Amino acid sequence: MKTLFILLMTIATVSCTMPAINRNGELAYHFNEPARIWEETLPLGNGRIGMMPDGGIDRETFVLNEISLWSGSRQDADNPYAGRYLNSIRYLLFAGRNDEAQELMYSTFVCKGEGSGHGAGANVPYGCFQLLGNLVIDYAYRHGDNDAVSDYRRELNISNAIASASFRKGGVKYSREAFTSFKDDIGIIHLTADIDNALNFAVSMNRPECFYVKTFGKDLLMQGQLTSGNNGKGMKYAAGIRIILPKGGTILASDTALNVQNATEAIILTSMATDYFGRNVETEVLRLLDASQSQDFQSLKNGHMEAYHELFNRVEINLGDDKKANLPIPQRLEEFQSEGNDPGLAALYFQFGRYLLISSTRPGVLPPNLQGLWANSIQTPWNGDYHLNINLQMNLWPAEVCNLSELHLPMIEWTKRQVSSGERTAQVYYNARGWVTHILGNLWEYTAPGEHPSWGATNTSAAWLCEHIYNHFLYSRDTTYLADVYPVMRGASLFFVDMLVEDPRNRFLVSAPTSSPENAFVMNGKHVHTCAGSTMDNQIIRELFANTIEAAGILGLDADLRNELATMQSRLAPTSVGPDGRIMEWLEPYEEAEPHHRHVSHLYGLYPGNEISVEKTPALAEAARKTLEARGDKSTGWSMAWKICFWARLHDGNHAFKLFRDLLVPAVKYGEQKYNGEGGGTAPNLFCSHPPFQIDGNFGAAAGIAEMLLQSGSATIELLPALPDAWKTGSFTGLKVVGGGEVALKWSNKLPVTMSLKATAPYSYKIKLPANSSALNISINQKSVSLPVYSGHLVVDMKKGDVLELIF
């Protein structure tokens, strides 16, 4: 290959430092009235606890959450007789009698017991994530409740992770702030009036069931125990409230409330705990209150913001003007649809995705569930659990590229805890070594199949989780971490070494039985899900084997296993194009039961995988495009977020942007209080709507926007690979690429102007040069260098701390 060299000519008048972001104010959205529905309340969280204030004037409710509060308990859900029927199920599949195989699975190859309770598992052993309770503040006003309210504004500031509300009533300006402290691990509510002694209110707590409230001195405590689904004695929890009055006033405690009279300023401290982590809940909530009570409000606020900024401020983004920031968010969403562009809203939504991830998980706790860590009910939709056929994985798609790498760790640690149970499930159902889990995941290491093979039989979930495990290494290059997680990857691979079986019809090794998640084909007039060797399975297993081989090679382990995996990998069915020019979802050209199905699982290899790309596999990329066109754009919220990522990988920024607009269609029309019934879209508080609320769409769309601006999954850095016409000029700092590099980029007229890459670990980077690279100035650590260019790709070896700078 001919090697070219590009030389730097030092230009004294040009600076090639990190592109600057022009911040016109802090990132926030607001309402001009109190919340009428939960999806208008403001989400606050510190990775463990959450609060959602509604901003009510006479009565204000804060929904309280703690990420580990689950009903249910550990159980043995493995059907001990399932393995007896495995060969019969495979015989029927290989005979082309999938419908009969599915019926046999329904009666023999499902979980033991009630499983997830068909998505309503609050009172069965599977359990569900639940709200902790409601903190209620009833206000009394100096001149009564009938005085007019003016100048009302309620805001979520995501730059500082603070919710606020303010208004005038009876000649008094009332101001409220709330946050869940990243430093002190408690909820903090700050109330002030601009006239002395004008604050009068009562604070209470409640929840729909399993609670009692008491006062303990001048603290208010709520405690309870959820059901285990067996003997009733499940998880214990507690919440505590302590009020501090810095400027006078009195606190009177009744049996079930704290009453404040004639105050000017009040600080309400709120602590929460469960015994999931082995702590005495009452002792823990009192400890948290004691540790915070001596600080004044500004100290509490400053400590919170400093800890939060360490994560949030790593990335900044500017996609264009922010002229609509003065609009209430429901109106802004409506105008985005009618006018077609709002670059400031796109930047806000991207950063809101990062905000939600920072707020819903942190090292040492748990990964975000289907609703992050926010819930307002006992029976959370779909149990608020960890769905493993895309949803949990999508929650963590932004973690690495959006420079929140340590927030991947709770998911990785959760995955490690599934291995022991998954080993038993692998043995019982498949007589296999290694470990497996299916579609369902909870706090109790549930790894058995679900209650019905139509959705519960997918068995590549552990392999998909291992993609995240390895991806964290690719972005960190931490071999100590890799050695710790390698046994998890090895075990997932061993499962498929034993489980894969030759299909006599085509001689491929296939996973059987399996499905293409939740989708069906038509056979003998029936909708059938059960198959052998779905395309998604083949793509994921191929990726798992490749990653395990590479990891073992880096660590110098398992040479024989590496050879065995490589041999088996070569016998997996390749991703194929059908007669209609689309990627085949199954190995057979079945008739689709639902052509516009929300899952597009057979494009896993396009995203999040890297098997399909415009440059390396153009024929498959074109087939993927036809697949997406046939599937259609409109779908559930999370599905449209996934499609943003797909179209970004196909380098079609305008179509990705069209999906982004579709995702932000208001799910609740301006001025109304119920979902519009059309499906998908975005709630007034920017929560993604399935419907109902499901947080994966927020995370998937944030990752999708990052993919539009920067890609590195195929080991090549691509700048602005899918930039839409709507974002002609802009900049970002802090996005990350494979190898751990932090990238900053400024562009104009859709072409890069300046770019910098800071190495956080030793790595050899390959950068695809854009069209305007004929006159390119290059420096490393502010010194001119010459670097090789191979077929339009710049190659540079960097040490930790090196900074590469390019001027186009």
Side-chain angles (χ1 to χ4, degrees):
M1 181 179 295
K2 186 176 180 180
T3 301
L4 303 177
F5 287 88
I6 297 179
L7 305 178
L8 170 72
M9 300 299 294
T10 303
I11 302 175
T13 58
V14 178
S15 171
C16 189
T17 57
M18 289 273 190
I21 299 292
N22 180 20
R23 263 191 174 166
N24 296 318
E26 294 174 332
L27 291 163
Y29 64 78
H30 71 276
F31 295 84
N32 286 343
E33 59 186 357
R36 302 161 301 166
I37 56 176
W38 183 64
E39 291 83 0
E40 290 182 342
T41 61
L42 304 177
L44 298 168
N46 70 356
R48 186 184 71 86
I49 62 172
M51 299 196 306
M52 294 190 71
D54 65 7
I57 294 169
D58 298 323
R59 167 172 283 189
E60 184 170 25
T61 299
F62 291 73
V63 177
L64 304 179
N65 293 112
E66 208 277 359
I67 196 168
S68 65
L69 186 62
W70 270 71
S71 62
S73 56
R74 286 175 176 80
Q75 60 170 317
D76 177 8
D78 293 332
N79 177 357
Y81 306 109
R84 299 178 183 179
Y85 299 92
L86 180 60
N87 289 336
S88 298
I89 293 166
R90 287 173 170 171
Y91 171 81
L92 292 171
L93 288 173
F94 297 150
R97 295 154 61 184
N98 300 54
D99 51 342
E100 296 178 48
Q102 181 166 287
E103 287 302 313
L104 181 58
M105 286 187 69
Y106 181 70
S107 59
T108 65
F109 215 77
V110 292
C111 60
K112 180 175 68 176
E114 298 169 281
S116 69
H118 296 281
N123 295 311
V124 301
Y126 185 85
C128 82
F129 176 64
Q130 301 186 7
L131 90 164
L132 187 140
N134 300 298
L135 185 160
V136 179
I137 306 177
D138 288 300
Y139 297 96
Y141 294 97
R142 172 176 292 183
H143 301 293
D145 296 335
N146 296 323
D147 288 330
V149 174
S150 63
D151 300 332
Y152 185 94
R153 181 183 175 94
R154 184 167 58 93
E155 178 181 282
L156 178 64
N157 182 316
I158 67 171
S159 294
N160 296 321
I162 294 175
S164 61
S166 62
F167 56 90
R168 290 190 174 274
K169 183 177 173 67
V172 181
K173 181 179 180 180
Y174 296 94
S175 300
R176 307 169 185 169
E177 285 187 295
F179 54 90
T180 47
S181 175
F182 281 81
K183 176 178 178 288
D184 297 298
D185 203 16
I186 59 171
I188 297 169
I189 303 166
H190 185 227
L191 309 177
T192 63
D194 69 350
I195 292 180
D196 289 347
N197 307 322
L199 280 178
N200 294 276
F201 59 89
V203 181
S204 60
M205 286 189 286
N206 66 69
R207 81 188 298 270
E209 64 181 32
C210 301
F211 79 102
Y212 66 93
V213 177
K214 67 179 182 180
T215 51
F216 185 78
K218 290 190 176 181
D219 293 337
L220 184 67
L221 297 178
M222 179 174 71
Q223 294 178 259
Q225 186 170 22
L226 307 189
T227 178
S228 66
N230 290 313
N231 58 16
K233 296 181 179 180
M235 186 179 293
K236 295 178 180 178
Y237 71 91
I241 291 175
R242 182 174 298 171
I243 301 176
I244 300 169
L245 303 179
K247 297 180 180 179
T250 59
I251 303 172
L252 301 174
S254 67
D255 290 341
T256 58
L258 299 177
N259 298 277
V260 172
Q261 298 176 354
N262 302 321
T264 306
E265 177 185 4
I267 304 170
I268 304 173
L269 306 179
T270 306
S271 60
M272 297 169 245
T274 76
D275 65 355
Y276 177 70
F277 298 103
R279 302 183 181 121
N280 178 283
V281 292
E282 183 173 324
T283 300
E284 181 65 9
V285 297
L286 293 174
R287 182 193 69 80
L288 290 166
L289 294 174
D290 290 342
S292 302
Q293 70 169 4
S294 62
Q295 301 179 64
D296 62 27
F297 175 70
Q298 198 58 50
S299 297
L300 290 165
K301 183 177 177 179
N302 289 345
H304 156 73
M305 290 193 299
E306 183 179 355
Y308 171 70
H309 289 162
E310 198 284 317
L311 292 166
F312 186 77
N313 288 356
R314 295 175 186 174
V315 173
E316 297 185 357
I317 187 171
N318 183 341
L319 299 176
D321 69 70
D322 197 19
K323 297 176 182 178
K324 302 283 188 179
N326 62 318
L327 294 177
I329 190 62
Q331 184 179 346
R332 190 173 189 181
L333 290 171
E334 295 277 3
E335 291 197 9
F336 180 41
Q337 297 303 314
S338 61
E339 298 182 11
N341 195 17
D342 184 345
L345 178 62
L348 173 68
Y349 191 88
F350 168 79
Q351 290 285 39
F352 182 64
R354 295 183 68 248
Y355 165 82
L356 291 176
L357 186 57
I358 295 167
S359 301
S360 61
T361 190
R362 72 185 194 202
V365 193
L366 290 163
N369 59 49
L370 281 173
Q371 298 201 172
L373 57 63
W374 298 281
N376 68 334
S377 62
I378 297 295
Q379 180 55 67
T380 311
W382 297 287
N383 295 320
D385 70 0
Y386 299 112
H387 272 36
L388 303 178
N389 61 2
I390 188 173
N391 310 97
L392 174 60
Q393 292 90 335
M394 184 181 285
N395 284 0
L396 278 300
W397 283 353
E400 302 296 341
V401 68
C402 292
N403 210 338
L404 298 169
S405 187
E406 62 266 62
L407 301 188
H408 226 153
L409 296 175
M411 177 199 195
I412 293 166
E413 291 301 315
W414 180 88
T415 300
K416 289 162 65 176
R417 289 195 293 273
Q418 311 312 303
V419 172
S420 179
S421 174
E423 289 173 339
R424 294 191 296 271
T425 300
Q427 181 64 39
V428 169
Y429 284 84
Y430 305 96
N431 192 28
R433 296 171 296 167
W435 73 284
V436 66
T437 189
H438 296 79
I439 182 179
L440 299 171
N442 61 10
L443 252 64
W444 315 118
E445 288 92 53
Y446 183 100
T447 55
E451 302 95 272
H452 196 287
S454 64
W455 52 268
T458 300
N459 51 42
T460 46
S461 296
W464 193 340
L465 292 169
C466 285
E467 186 269 340
H468 282 260
I469 287 176
Y470 196 62
N471 205 38
H472 183 68
F473 167 74
L474 293 178
Y475 277 83
S476 68
R477 310 306 299 179
D478 183 345
T479 53
T480 301
Y481 158 81
L482 185 63
D484 177 61
V485 298
Y486 173 72
V488 182
M489 299 173 61
R490 185 181 189 275
S493 292
L494 281 177
F495 169 74
F496 286 107
V497 168
D498 289 357
M499 186 267 197
L500 291 176
V501 61
E502 183 178 272
D503 187 334
R505 298 169 296 180
N506 50 43
R507 302 301 180 187
F508 289 127
L509 293 179
V510 296
S511 52
T514 189
S515 64
S516 187
E518 301 183 36
N519 202 5
F521 52 89
V522 178
M523 177 175 282
N524 298 325
K526 304 174 185 176
H527 288 188
V528 179
H529 299 76
T530 303
C531 68
S534 66
T535 295
M536 186 195 77
D537 274 20
N538 294 326
Q539 292 171 348
I540 290 178
I541 297 168
R542 189 158 36 241
E543 177 185 63
L544 172 68
F545 284 179
N547 290 345
T548 304
I549 291 167
E550 187 171 270
I554 292 169
L555 297 171
L557 300 172
D558 289 334
D560 290 343
L561 177 62
R562 278 183 266 161
N563 292 332
E564 185 176 20
L565 294 180
T567 299
M568 297 187 74
Q569 184 186 44
S570 68
R571 296 192 60 197
L572 295 169
T575 300
S576 301
V577 179
D580 57 6
R582 294 184 286 155
I583 301 289
M584 293 177 62
E585 187 160 359
W586 301 276
L587 293 184
E588 303 292 330
Y590 298 125
E591 176 190 351
E592 296 166 297
E594 189 178 343
H596 303 298
H597 197 272
R598 60 195 175 276
H599 284 264
V600 198
S601 303
H602 46 316
L603 296 193
Y604 175 96
L606 178 62
Y607 188 93
N610 299 291
E611 180 178 305
I612 302 171
S613 73
V614 172
E615 282 197 347
K616 295 182 179 179
T617 60
L620 289 179
E622 180 58 27
R625 177 183 295 272
K626 291 180 179 178
T627 301
L628 290 169
E629 289 170 346
R631 208 63 144 200
D633 292 340
K634 185 65 176 175
S635 190
T636 59
W638 65 263
S639 179
M640 290 190 286
W642 197 5
K643 291 170 185 174
I644 294 172
C645 299
F646 286 144
W647 285 105
R649 284 285 173 92
L650 292 175
H651 295 178
D652 192 332
N654 287 333
H655 203 132
F657 180 75
K658 190 262 183 190
L659 261 300
F660 175 69
R661 280 188 64 202
D662 290 347
L663 180 66
L664 265 66
V665 168
V668 179
K669 292 182 179 178
Y670 190 36
E672 297 185 2
Q673 299 185 41
K674 60 182 181 180
Y675 281 102
N676 59 29
E678 298 174 4
T682 294
N685 64 359
L686 295 187
F687 273 171
C688 184
S689 171
H690 183 284
F693 161 52
Q694 221 175 267
I695 204 169
D696 41 15
N698 290 102
F699 296 136
I705 291 171
E707 285 288 317
M708 295 164 75
L709 303 176
L710 182 70
Q711 293 179 21
S712 66
S714 60
T716 298
I717 297 173
E718 297 182 75
L719 308 176
L720 308 178
L723 190 70
D725 294 338
W727 304 338
K728 285 185 170 64
T729 299
S731 57
F732 65 78
T733 64
L735 294 183
K736 293 190 74 174
V737 293
V738 168
E742 295 182 358
V743 176
L745 184 69
K746 183 177 181 179
W747 68 92
S748 180
N749 294 319
K750 298 187 68 176
L751 289 173
V753 176
T754 60
M755 176 248 189
S756 67
L757 171 64
K758 179 180 179 181
T760 62
Y763 195 69
S764 180
Y765 292 95
K766 182 179 179 183
I767 304 169
K768 182 181 179 182
L769 295 175
N772 62 328
S773 301
S774 56
L776 181 64
N777 299 311
I778 311 173
S779 69
I780 295 180
N781 303 331
Q782 300 184 341
K783 295 181 181 180
S784 63
V785 295
S786 61
L787 294 173
V789 176
Y790 302 97
S791 302
H793 293 77
L794 183 72
V795 178
V796 54
D797 294 324
M798 299 179 69
K799 303 185 297 295
K800 182 178 180 179
D802 283 349
V803 178
L804 169 73
E805 296 175 321
L806 307 179
I807 302 175
F808 298 92

